Amino acid sequence: MTTHILRHGETQYSRQYLVNGDPTRPIPLSKDGVLSCGLVWHTLPLRQVSTWLSSEFPRARQTASRLMGVPEPGPVVDARLNELDYGDFEGGPFLKYASWLQKHGGRCRPPGARESQREGIERMLVGLQAAVEHPSPRVIVCHGLLVSVLHWYRERSAGDSMPLFFPEAPYVQPISFEDEDLLRCVKSLLADIAAEPERDPGPRCDAENSRAEEELDVATFDRVNHPHAQRDLPDA
């Protein structure tokens, strides 16, 4: 019983490191994003997949449809797999949001947002947990943050606490789990978040303009190799 989890293909937004947490915005895959979907046929037995799942976002559903090879029926759509709600940072540069996040922490909701980073990760993990109820093998097309968290879990050392920032997840490259391992992973990550101390006095914080040097402090992450581009920034 196996689940393959992958990030959607590239978009013009993600190429420019602009954040998009609003599924109603029509942001499709870029040309390179479409091309990258064809590479997965060489790494996964896609014809044997029993269940396809995706977030509500057009880029995730388009990626799933490209991998499926047929436009209909589409994947099972689960809003719990959606990208973070960035609130007032929607459509802006990732570094602006990242600088705010570095200052206020993962438990604080950005102005205009319905969730904090940690609440968003919890939501995604619950969606991942629910996926095992569907027939296996499964493919889940989601967003970079969830895939990055899963990679961090796989590579963590004993005693490591969950960071605010994670190395960027590659596009359309699966990370795979057997059901028992996936459920153990979700349980462990949810427990990690629940055990974190409350850093902020309330659920929301003011959005303040961060200084340029704060942005430079945030942009210090490992480079990830991609088929079509070299990318330097993380997923929040």
Side-chain angles (χ1 to χ4, degrees):
M1 305 278 255
T2 307
T3 303
H4 308 287
I5 306 150
L6 51 89
R7 184 186 182 189
H8 59 79
E10 182 194 75
T11 69
Q12 290 301 325
Y13 256 55
S14 62
R15 179 188 287 271
Q16 300 175 71
Y17 290 98
L18 302 176
V19 299
N20 170 228
D22 180 359
T24 66
R25 287 199 173 194
I27 300 174
L29 300 181
S30 65
K31 181 179 179 181
D32 283 345
V34 171
L35 290 174
S36 67
C37 293
L39 302 177
V40 185
W41 285 89
H42 303 292
T43 59
L44 282 180
L46 297 182
R47 290 186 176 85
Q48 300 174 19
V49 174
S50 296
T51 305
W52 294 85
L53 301 100
S54 81
S55 78
E56 291 182 309
F57 283 70
R59 58 187 180 270
R61 290 187 284 109
Q62 185 183 1
T63 299
S65 294
R66 286 276 174 178
L67 297 179
M68 294 169 72
V70 292
E72 296 293 342
V76 175
V77 174
D78 189 338
R80 290 172 293 188
L81 301 170
N82 282 1
E83 175 64 293
L84 280 179
D85 178 2
Y86 290 102
D88 292 353
F89 292 100
E90 174 64 37
F94 174 83
L95 276 179
K96 187 173 182 181
Y97 165 75
S99 295
W100 180 93
L101 183 65
Q102 185 178 49
K103 179 176 181 180
H104 295 287
R107 288 186 173 274
C108 188
R109 296 178 186 175
R114 298 182 302 273
E115 62 186 0
S116 67
Q117 187 217 47
R118 289 327 203 214
E119 288 171 328
I121 294 174
E122 287 177 321
R123 164 179 56 76
M124 296 173 199
L125 291 171
V126 171
L128 199 58
Q129 187 176 45
V132 301
E133 300 173 5
H134 295 277
S136 172
R138 317 168 193 91
V139 170
I140 298 176
V141 182
C142 55
H143 299 267
L145 176 56
L146 178 56
V147 178
S148 292
V149 170
L150 296 177
H151 277 291
W152 172 80
Y153 171 83
R154 280 265 179 94
E155 298 167 5
R156 69 188 298 184
S157 299
D160 283 353
S161 57
M162 185 181 292
L164 272 182
F165 302 101
F166 307 85
E168 183 184 13
Y171 296 118
V172 204
Q173 292 186 29
I175 180 171
S176 303
F177 289 85
E178 296 303 312
D179 283 1
E180 183 177 350
D181 292 335
L182 182 60
L183 293 174
R184 184 184 303 112
C185 167
V186 168
K187 182 179 179 180
S188 176
L189 290 170
L190 288 174
D192 286 347
I193 295 174
E196 289 182 342
E198 291 285 348
R199 170 179 169 179
D200 303 299
R204 292 187 182 275
C205 303
D206 294 331
E208 300 175 1
N209 292 326
S210 299
R211 298 173 302 168
E213 56 265 30
E214 287 179 323
E215 294 186 351
L216 292 175
D217 289 341
V218 173
T220 54
F221 300 89
D222 296 335
R223 180 182 296 273
V224 175
N225 292 322
H226 293 264
H228 302 290
Q230 293 292 327
R231 307 175 68 84
D232 297 297
L233 296 180
D235 295 290

